[in-house]
């Protein structure tokens, strides 16, 4: 019996998020805006005027309080492990970081247009990218991703977005843009097994 491959990248992402949260809590207060800003949270004036573009990445590993990180890490584990096993480690990592950073950039531009300068942090943009990714993978995989159906995944994403829009202090722009980018990237990068086999068979037939 073949051994199932472990979602190593998901485990690493979980570990980094949790470790950095515990570190911040040990030296200060993760629910303090000033403290989070000092240690890497995203803030448009600092990013654009001071050139601190690294905040677009560091903010992805920071969370305001235990409830914030608990929600994101639960979704990261549940959806991330499925997506990583389906599309592969490197494609999965690419989707996570590109969509997460992209969601932060779009959020920053929207808030800048609205003349809002907010301090933001959280893995939500990247986590919603995983939701968009598993939906795309299930669509390309004939309507199912392991035990999850496309309909179940669509309902889950709608519920996640609804929760965001009904709560206060949530960056819904990052959620929606993260889900959209994750969906598009996975549609481009993921090739289901049956599709790969069909291409290989056609290639073999062409050389007979």
């Amino acid at each position: 019996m073949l051994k199932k491959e472990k979602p190593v990248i998901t485990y690493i992402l979980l570990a980094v998020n949790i470790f950095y949260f515990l570190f911040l809590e040990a030296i200060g207060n993760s629910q303090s805006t000033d403290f989070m800003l000092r240690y890497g949270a995203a803030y448009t004036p600092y990013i654009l005027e001071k050139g601190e573009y690294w905040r677009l990445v560091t903010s992805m590993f920071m969370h305001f309080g235990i409830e914030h990180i608990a929600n994101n890490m639960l979704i990261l584990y549940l959806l991330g492990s499925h997506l990583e096993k389906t599309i592969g480690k490197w494609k999965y990592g690419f989707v996570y970081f590109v969509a997460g950073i992209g969601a932060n950039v779009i959020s920053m531009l929207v808030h800048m247009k609205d003349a809002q300068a907010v301090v933001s942090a959280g893995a939500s943009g990247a986590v919603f990218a995983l939701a968009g990714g598993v939906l795309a993978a299930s669509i390309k995989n004939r309507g199912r991703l392991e035990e999850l159906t496309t309909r179940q995944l669509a309902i889950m994403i709608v519920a996640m977005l609804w929760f965001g829009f009904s709560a206060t202090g949530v960056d819904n722009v990052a959620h929606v843009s993260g889900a959209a980018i994750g969906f598009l990237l996975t549609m481009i990068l993921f090739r289901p097994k049956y599709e790969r086999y069909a291409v290989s068979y056609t290639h073999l037939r062409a050389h007979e």
Side-chain angles (χ1 to χ4, degrees):
M1 187 176 176
L2 290 172
K3 207 174 181 182
K4 279 192 175 181
E5 197 172 353
K6 293 183 180 179
V8 177
I9 304 299
T10 298
Y11 291 159
I12 291 173
L13 291 171
L14 286 167
V16 173
N17 275 281
I18 293 170
F19 175 80
Y20 198 39
F21 176 76
L22 293 175
F23 168 74
L24 293 174
E25 281 293 302
I27 64 172
N29 180 7
S30 66
Q31 297 192 62
S32 166
T33 302
D34 290 337
F35 174 77
M36 293 289 277
L37 184 59
R38 199 180 319 139
Y39 282 89
Y43 185 56
T44 301
Y46 283 13
I47 294 170
L48 295 181
E49 295 170 18
K50 295 185 177 182
E52 297 179 357
Y53 299 106
W54 48 268
R55 290 180 180 272
L56 296 170
V57 178
T58 55
S59 61
M60 290 170 56
F61 296 93
M62 303 178 71
H63 294 84
F64 291 104
I66 186 68
E67 186 177 345
H68 189 198
I69 189 172
N71 289 336
N72 278 341
M73 293 306 99
L74 178 61
I75 299 171
L76 171 57
Y77 175 73
L78 293 176
L79 297 183
S81 54
H82 280 296
L83 188 61
E84 182 177 349
K85 290 175 185 176
T86 302
I87 69 174
K89 290 179 174 54
W90 302 116
K91 289 180 181 179
Y92 168 76
F94 180 80
V95 170
Y96 186 91
F97 280 99
V98 171
I101 294 169
N104 282 345
V105 171
I106 293 172
S107 175
M108 179 181 69
L109 294 175
V110 169
H111 290 311
M112 184 173 64
K113 183 181 177 182
D114 294 338
Q116 296 178 12
V118 296
V119 176
S120 61
S124 300
V127 165
F128 269 81
L130 302 183
V134 293
L135 179 61
S138 70
I139 290 172
K140 294 196 73 174
N141 203 43
R142 297 178 174 176
R144 180 172 289 275
L145 188 65
E146 295 186 349
E147 70 272 17
L148 299 172
T149 65
T150 299
R151 183 180 178 183
Q152 290 172 328
L153 291 167
I155 292 172
M156 185 189 305
I157 293 171
V158 170
M160 288 166 63
L161 289 170
W162 173 256
F163 175 79
F165 280 104
S166 61
T168 56
V170 175
D171 191 350
N172 291 298
V173 175
H175 290 183
V176 174
S177 54
I181 297 170
F183 181 88
L184 291 172
L185 287 176
T186 304
M187 288 294 283
I188 294 168
L189 295 173
F190 176 52
R191 286 176 61 194
K193 287 182 180 179
Y194 73 85
E195 189 177 289
R196 294 198 296 269
Y197 293 154
V199 171
S200 298
Y201 179 73
T202 303
H203 181 74
L204 285 171
R205 293 285 297 173
H207 286 79
E208 283 181 356

